[in-house]
Amino acid sequence: MNGFRWRRETPLAGILLLLVVAVSIAQPRFLSPENLRSILLWLPLLVIVALGEMTVILTRGIDVSVGSMLGLSGMMTAMLLRDHPEIPVPVAALFAMAAGGGLGAINGGLVAGVGIPPIVATLATLGIYRGATFLVSGGKQVDDYQLPRALAGWSSDGPFGADIVPYVVWIALLAAVAMQRFLTDSRTGRDWYAIGGDPDGAADRGVAVRPRVFLAYVFSGVGSGLAGLLYASRFGTVNPASIGNGFELLVISATVIGGVSIFGGSGTVAGVLLGSLLLGTISVALAVLNIAETWQSAVYGAVLLAALLADDAMRRRLEREERG
Amino acid sequence: MSKPDGSVLLRTIGLSKAFGSVTVLENADVELRAGEIHAFLGENGAGKSTLAKLIGGIHRPTAGRIERDGRPVTIRNPREAASLGIGLIPQEPRTFPDLSAAENIFVGRLPMRGGRVDWKTLYGRAEELLRTLGVEIDPRRPARGLSVADRQMLELAGALSLDARILLLDETTASLTPGEVGRLGEILRRLRSEGKALVFIGHRMEEIFDLCDRATVLRDGRIVGERRVRETTPDELLRLMVGRAMGEAVTRKKVADGPPILEVVGWSQPPRFRDISFSIRKGEIVGLAGLVGAGRTEIACALFGLSRPTSGEVRIDGRPVEIRSPEDAMRHGMALVPEDRQRQGAFLPLSLRENVTLSSLPRLSGRGWLREDDARSRTTEWVRRLGVRCREIEQPLRQLSGGNQQKIVLAKWLETGPRILLLDEPTRGIDVNAKTEVHRWIAELADQGVATLLISSDLPEVLALSDRVLVLRAGRLVREFAAGEATPEAVIAAAGVTTEATVR
Amino acid sequence: MGERWRRASARYLPELTVTGLLAVALLLSGWREPRFWDAAYLFDRSTLHMETGLLTLTMTLVILAGQIDLSVTSILALVGALLATLHVRFGVPMTVLLPFGPIFGGLLGSVNGYLVARRGLPSLVVTLATMALFRGIAQILLGDRSVMMPPEMVGIERVTLPKSYLHAPLLLLIVATVAAYLLLHRTVFGRYVTVIGVNPEAARYSGVPVARTMIRLFVLSGAMAGLCSLLLLSRLGVARYDHARGWELDVITAVVLGGTSIFGGRGTIYGSIAAFLLIAIVQTGMGVAGVKAEIQVTAIGFLLLLAIFLAKVTERGR
Amino acid sequence: KPDEPTSTPGASVPSAGASPVATEAGKKIRVVYIPKNTGNPYFDGVVSGFEEAARELPIEFSTTAPAQPDPTGQISFIKDEIQRGANVLCITPNSPDALNSVLDDARAKGVKVLAVDADFEKNESHRDGAILPTDFDTLGANQIELIGSLMNYSGKFAILSATTDAPNQNHWIAGMKEALKDPKYAKMTLVGVVYGDDRDQKSVTEAEGLLTKHPDLRGILAPTSVGVAAAAKVVESRKVADRVVVTGLGTPNTMRRYLKDGIVPAVALWSPPDMGYIAAYAAVGLAKGELKAEEGVKFQAGKRGERAFGKNGVVIAGPPLVFRKDNVDEYRF
Ligand SMILES: Nc1ncnc2c1ncn2[C@@H]1O[C@H](COP(=O)(O)OP(=O)(O)OP(=O)(O)O)[C@@H](O)[C@H]1O
Ligand SMILES: Nc1ncnc2c1ncn2[C@@H]1O[C@H](COP(=O)(O)OP(=O)(O)OP(=O)(O)O)[C@@H](O)[C@H]1O
Ligand SMILES: [Mg+2]
Ligand SMILES: [Mg+2]
């Protein structure tokens, strides 16, 4: 169906390709399997949270509490695994998603139920969930040795011994595909676009706006929760101050660069993937090129800006050609 | 399918609505009958939309009740209204830009199969509905970029798809061209013959007498009379609406023969318009007729610096000028009353004062400081002159009825004291009385030397006011009529309407 | 209650709520913690909040216009880095450099303004990028070094009006608040900012110089950040690339708590400044009561919810 | 060669007998410790040392810190603690110079200021004394010797540090570079210094980048606990632990599994509790006016024995410990 939808992502894909080519010329090992693997490993956390964030932004909302939700549910899951090592990791993953979903439901309740503006509600829970992370953990971190080995395995081993693409990457990919289907083919997905386009109008036309908006926040929470577990898997140490701290900015960057409109109603999974991939590529490229540390932030900002401008220019050109 | 038997499908009893302490509808009793088109008439702000919204479940009454097929019902939201077979097409169409046209029609009720959207059925049904309405919109295209008229058609298609027994159309014809109004008329007649009860809200008497069987007249939130259309006259209805005698219809007498103020030469902006050349003299009113999508709005926007043509020239007072932005245009004394009030004209949360004075702030300020006393007195003046129905000038514009909002937008531009006035559907949604008033203003401004470009889908309006009529067809000027020559039939033929449907 | 009053109070509900909470916070802090009511301490501690307060004012305008400027704190750091570099490497006296604080800030802001207004890019993304870029340039300039300010420039927060605790930064904040109030509510520029926030398309159709206003807005925002940079340099006595990192969230919190709509079009300077004071008072109260940092963060979260909740409840009660 | 552990926290060294502090006017001395940020396990160790000493002395001890290690974030906590009546402020500064004026204020009000764990470098005049965990001037050399011994004194290695502006890190890295001039290390090449900002994601990405850039890398030296854990993680995930040595500074808790699994042969660290314990004794001495933070002044630090103020009023808490597979379980911090 949506030929026109894919158009939006073409420039971004082009920019990404350009970037990869440029970096590989400067550092041929950028394309080595190990390095591609490290890019892949960089992505799952971001992609999974960004997919949830996207659903919220689609409904004309925003969820700035994702980092804190990731932190709190990651911390709770890590503590659960520490205290009950017998629990299988997939069950812990379900627990993480449920915990995140619960936190998301609180956001959803505040926004869709009480009617608090999204930025205010999630700015508030950003602080509250972060504080709660300290409270439940007593300010103590969960260390690597306290977590089951299978958990770390998710980030280092792949299915059928193909360790080059670890499980976490497959999980993210699966989540993306499922979300793509959900957005294009489910009633809820279509309703999210409608709500973002015109919230009052959607209500008038019989869309159950409140339940749908509520669900978007739950999705965002579930994604953050799952990412909390993946964080524990990837980094081993779960520290109440640092887990997920400031992650929201990265997530919102990836989403918005991927073409999800902050005014709601428009955006695609492909865009979010590309946006995440762009950020991941820049970050990894900065590490493998010999760029002095003090220059990295500036280069990151400059590349981001250049990508934005190029994307904008290319999109305009495409639109012009489309018109005539 | 039920017979057009005249049985009462819906009855309101003592229906009232108040916003805060202001009662806008009081004690309304109406009966909607199967096989009847029922008109709600009244001046701007009389309460027509409010009554329709109460029935359609968008507002909830403060008092009174509604009976559907004789049984009392409460309608809490549009969904419940739909389940009672009630569909409402509101005055302002609701659009979801990133959804396809088909999805816009079926929003909230997408056909599903096995838990997934059934795209085939969706597009099939949408195509069919759009075909019945005779509009050419690709059901797969996103709704972004569709004109108000097209979006209105999507609303109508949506209501039709409901199979509602009761359909309420709130000023749906306001943004349609004559040809489309004719086609809509056909559809409504057919629906009537299928035994549906229809409510038609509109300000054009011709349409009422052409289409409707019964008319309920509202004034200041009360029902002041109900008539069978066959047994009444426009004059009687108008008297009921305004409660006094009507002013004379405006006719133009002076013929402008001054030098051209505005000249457009060889203007193109493919694919919207090509090779446009025309001029407007001082004190002249030039009408621009054409079908929806013919490119009239685009020409007005380009003149006002909102878009740039790819070739051609504009001259003002004989000198070529470069208009890059609305500010440039205003510097040359231009004003544009835009087509889409909600998106381009109105600042709904802001007060009437802030709306009316916005475009004249440079004049109503000193060294960048606002002069609010002047602003207040100017606003009060315009509210009085245009007969805006409001509580106070500090009220948010949102609280005004559609027509009164339009008057405020008009006032914003008249306040700038333009030399060249571009009017795009200036009287859309304005009631007869106020319309006469607006016409008088337009004529008077022309007499004072203002050059006016009048774009309107209200053909009688164009014909009554214009000194010359230009007809645009698919982006090209195809004919020019002098004041005397222009007849509705000729104009419509030139515009390219091929169906037999015409307006009277 | 008169009809007028009722309508005004309905309109300014967020502002009224914040004012009420402010009173409660003051009373509660003083009642729970006797060491709170100590003018010397209160005024001294208030010096820590002045930069956030000033940035809250301009951020209110930016958000009111439906935009956001996440880069202000990076501009603050970069301006400091620029001035320090000019001072240390090129020996330019600091007193000469003072006016360049706001000027450099304004120039950096104009980059945002250009990208948003002329290129039509969303300000959220633009300022996310310039946030990294500006901070990065500051890091290139200063690296890991701290650059000491000359002694005559240090300690503006210790300059007070005679026989009072009213220190210079606070005086500046008061003046800036009045100026921002007048700018927003009494000038053509302020009106333009508001209407752009309400409906940018209609603003363009109404002949409002949208692009120009927007650029000026970002320049103003940057210039304020430059001014704050001077304050911070003087207060801390050193320039560093990581100054004020993360403060943008505090600033936005204050603006939003004060009732400004993040979608633009609605908000007042009074609401923002009252919300800023509320947060500062609550933080001070908790600090002197020895409340842990993580609880403080949580408390501000609850405060946000409480404010909006109260506004909602009062609204429904009508 | 770095020493094997000489002291186990809370036990071995015989104490010269802690005399409980007699308090003036019945009021206990109030000591506040402000670490870089809350929730940091390293500082939890320091705090436990303070608490142990507080029970012995007894003094009124409390700790508070900003949620994030922001250079200026500690200022408000210092102001508030002065208002709350602290007698001694022990601070691990996030920035060596952003606190100068507030520290001056504190000392003007008679509050003693002790730097703990990291000094106010080049701004020593704004504090009374400093308690450093170990001799920073020799730590760099110790670390080089550690990684050298683990990679047979030959091959390429890189340093994964925290932030570019962390004074301790830079001090040590300078020491490392100096030590490398020793002919003993002639066959070792330092290929670069990268910075993980003490953030998980960035540290991992940098460690991955090192392995990509230098396929023949033999070692990663990370003198920071987040960095060393990240490097271990990466080496484990890429399955190159057999040829890439990871070592540096890390707490036993974060490194326990890597040590036991043989991913990391050894890491070093001093004892944070010892440092806190000694700081508490020094704080009390200063507050009561019994001690002056001047070179050569000695004092009895409870059970940990005698310590002395060195140059610049710095007290060294003790030598670094080295944790390996076989001794790591003796430590719980
Ligand atoms: N062929 C077309 N297909 C789809 N959309 C079109 C087509 N032609 C015009 N439009 C859209 O229809 C809208 C109306 O076009 P335009 O404003 O130029 O015509 P108009 O004659 O002013 O119509 P109106 O009567 O609505 O004012 C525009 O937004 C344009 O994008
Ligand atoms: N949300 C609201 N709050 C306050 N007053 C309102 C609100 N909505 C409508 N009104 C008032 O109710 C009255 C009736 O409005 P309504 O929209 O029903 O008028 P109408 O007859 O449809 O007029 P028009 O022909 O201009 O569309 C108007 O005076 C209007 O100002
Ligand atoms: Mg109406
Ligand atoms: Mg038009």
Side-chain angles (χ1 to χ4, degrees), chain A residues 198-209, chain B residues 52-61 66 74-90 94 96 107-109 155 158-159 162 164 166-168:
Chain A
D198 179 353
D200 295 339
D204 289 355
R205 296 288 290 270
V207 172
V209 172
Chain B
K53 284 176 181 169
L54 288 172
I55 298 171
I58 290 178
H59 290 329
R60 302 197 54 190
I66 299 175
T74 39
I75 307 174
R76 274 185 293 259
N77 53 47
R79 235 216 293 227
E80 292 187 357
S83 71
L84 291 168
I86 302 168
L88 168 69
I89 296 141
R94 299 156 296 197
F96 311 101
V107 119
R109 300 168 289 111
E155 282 272 4
L162 272 174
I166 300 161
L167 266 177
L168 305 110

Side-chain angles (χ1 to χ4, degrees), chain A residues 216-236:
Chain A
Y217 286 88
V218 174
F219 263 59
S220 180
V222 170
S224 305
L226 180 59
L229 176 99
L230 300 191
Y231 182 98
S233 163
R234 176 91 172 114
F235 301 116

Side-chain angles (χ1 to χ4, degrees), chain D residues 9-26:
Chain D
S12 67
V13 182
S15 149
S19 58
V21 176
T23 53
E24 321 143 23

Side-chain angles (χ1 to χ4, degrees), chain B residues 398-414:
Chain B
R398 186 193 304 288
Q399 294 177 355
L400 263 56
S401 77
N404 283 305
Q405 289 179 9
Q406 179 69 15
K407 291 183 199 168
I408 292 295
V409 174
L410 205 58
K412 172 175 72 187
W413 284 111
L414 294 182

Side-chain angles (χ1 to χ4, degrees), chain A residues 93-175:
Chain A
L94 290 181
F95 172 82
M97 290 196 278
L103 299 175
I106 294 177
N107 286 337
L110 291 173
V111 173
V114 188
I116 297 178
I119 180 86
V120 184
T122 57
L123 209 52
T125 53
L126 164 94
I128 293 172
Y129 295 162
R130 178 61 58 193
T133 311
F134 277 94
L135 290 183
V136 300
S137 64
K140 300 268 180 285
Q141 72 177 25
V142 175
D143 282 310
D144 189 271
Y145 75 93
Q146 297 170 313
L147 293 171
R149 233 156 256 232
L151 181 63
W154 277 28
S155 295
S156 57
D157 313 332
F160 316 114
D163 294 350
I164 185 89
V165 186
Y167 288 107
V168 288
V169 179
W170 289 109
I171 292 174
L173 207 64
L174 217 68

